Amino acid sequence: MSSPSAGRSREGVTCSMGRPRSFQCQGLVLKSMSLGEAGLMATLYTPDMGKLKAMVRGARKPTSKMVGHLEPLNLVHLSLAASRPGGIDTVTQVQTLDSHSRLKADLESISRAIYVAELADGFGAEGSPNTDLYNLLLETVGTLQGDTDPELTLRYFDLHILKCSGFMPELYGCVDCRRDLEAGRHRFSPEAGGALCFDCTPAGPRVMGLSLRAMKVLRFIDHRRLPELAQLRIDPELRRELKDLLDASLKYWLDREIRSRRFLEHLERPPRLGAARGA
Ligand SMILES: [Zn+2]
């Protein structure tokens, strides 16, 4: 299984005279890492070019102010010098538009947003703009700064990043026989692409339980906007089921573990009774 971004071409930025020598763009920093002795490589998600890798020379020299701007989860405006085709563009100027400082004040909030950034990095393709994914990313990171239910916000992001990447699980008919599903008589298979009726058991794919409650919530999330999730009241058992179903689909299409998930689960684990009593 290849990654979802495999096979998509990098179109880059073009103009009537060919590739420009410099250009500007806006984007959310998904991650950044050291490059060589003093450089930095940042991966951003942009509205016009999809995922974009850009490097900064001398970023870690004491005189450079660029490092702070290129922190993960910053929304930035960049000026870039274009590389030769196939190379990595160089950042010449960067300005922070929104550092999402409320998010960064809290370890759990940062961890949730890093999880969102990791999925955007995994599902986003270089040179292939996806406005829905960009808007989803910004809306989710913005919402994680507020007081809404952060776990449901992540489940909304999970389902909608699958949807806007072309991997939406089937929730209305059986993926195998295509008949409409009877209420409560359905299961789920990430590998088969969504819900299965009780009569169909395709050879090979893993089949998971799918309760009627989980099905209803997934359909609700599919058709509603993020702020509408505030109407939902969901118990821990159903939260776990939704998380497992969506996590299985995400991992299947990404074809790898989601690294930030484990840390997030560690943080979200409820305190042990003894510890809670002592607090
Ligand atoms: Zn069927």
Side-chain angles (χ1 to χ4, degrees):
M1 185 70 219
S2 61
S3 85
S5 57
R8 294 184 194 170
S9 64
R10 179 189 164 96
E11 290 159 12
V13 184
T14 55
C15 66
S16 58
M17 299 295 286
R19 192 175 162 81
R21 271 190 238 160
S22 63
F23 61 97
Q24 300 192 347
C25 71
Q26 184 175 311
L28 187 85
V29 182
L30 302 178
K31 63 182 181 186
S32 55
M33 54 186 278
S34 304
L35 181 73
E37 285 210 357
L40 187 85
M41 168 88 84
T43 303
L44 300 102
Y45 202 80
T46 72
D48 302 324
M49 289 168 286
K51 195 161 77 173
L52 176 77
K53 285 186 178 153
M55 65 175 168
V56 189
R57 297 179 202 277
R60 288 180 290 131
K61 287 182 180 167
T63 51
S64 175
K65 291 177 181 154
M66 290 210 200
V67 164
H69 289 290
L70 289 167
E71 266 183 21
L73 309 175
N74 281 4
L75 180 68
V76 294
H77 184 269
L78 294 173
S79 300
L80 296 119
S83 69
R84 278 178 279 179
I88 293 171
D89 305 317
T90 303
V91 179
T92 52
Q93 281 188 325
V94 54
Q95 178 194 354
T96 302
L97 304 175
D98 188 346
S99 65
H100 295 112
S101 55
R102 280 180 64 198
L103 194 74
K104 292 175 186 171
D106 175 73
L107 183 58
E108 278 192 39
S109 301
I110 298 174
S111 306
R112 292 187 189 106
I114 291 289
Y115 166 81
V116 164
E118 184 183 344
L119 288 183
D121 185 25
F123 282 94
E126 286 181 56
S128 179
N130 184 333
T131 310
D132 288 344
L133 202 163
Y134 181 75
N135 292 337
L136 173 67
L137 179 62
L138 256 54
E139 188 185 15
T140 305
V141 170
T143 302
L144 287 172
Q145 292 199 109
D147 300 325
T148 47
D149 185 328
E151 198 182 340
L152 280 184
T153 301
L154 293 188
R155 298 299 80 78
Y156 180 93
F157 183 79
D158 290 344
L159 188 69
H160 282 268
I161 197 170
L162 287 167
K163 187 174 185 175
C164 66
S165 305
F167 303 108
M168 176 71 190
E170 172 59 54
L171 297 174
Y172 299 90
C174 169
V175 281
D176 203 38
C177 68
R178 299 284 159 192
R179 285 191 301 235
D180 289 345
L181 293 163
E182 283 179 56
R185 290 181 53 80
H186 33 67
R187 296 166 299 159
F188 188 84
S189 170
E191 290 88 343
L196 286 166
C197 72
F198 273 15
D199 297 327
C200 294
T201 305
R206 176 168 48 130
V207 177
M208 306 167 73
L210 171 60
S211 70
L212 182 58
R213 298 193 308 158
M215 175 69 106
K216 283 182 176 171
V217 174
L218 289 172
R219 288 177 177 176
F220 183 92
I221 294 175
D222 176 22
H223 287 295
R224 302 302 179 103
R225 304 285 309 156
L226 190 45
E228 294 178 81
L229 264 62
Q231 301 169 28
L232 291 172
R233 295 287 174 271
I234 297 188
D235 61 56
E237 187 190 346
L238 183 52
R239 284 171 187 266
R240 168 51 69 180
E241 184 181 359
L242 293 167
K243 189 174 181 175
D244 289 347
L245 291 165
L246 289 167
D247 194 40
S249 292
L250 293 164
K251 280 197 283 201
Y252 174 68
W253 290 112
L254 277 179
D255 197 22
R256 62 174 162 80
E257 288 291 319
I258 303 157
R259 287 191 301 272
S260 50
R261 162 76 90 199
R262 189 170 296 182
F263 184 62
L264 192 52
E265 282 181 350
H266 177 74
L267 285 179
E268 286 175 342
R269 200 171 295 160
R272 282 176 301 157
L273 278 179
R277 239 179 255 128

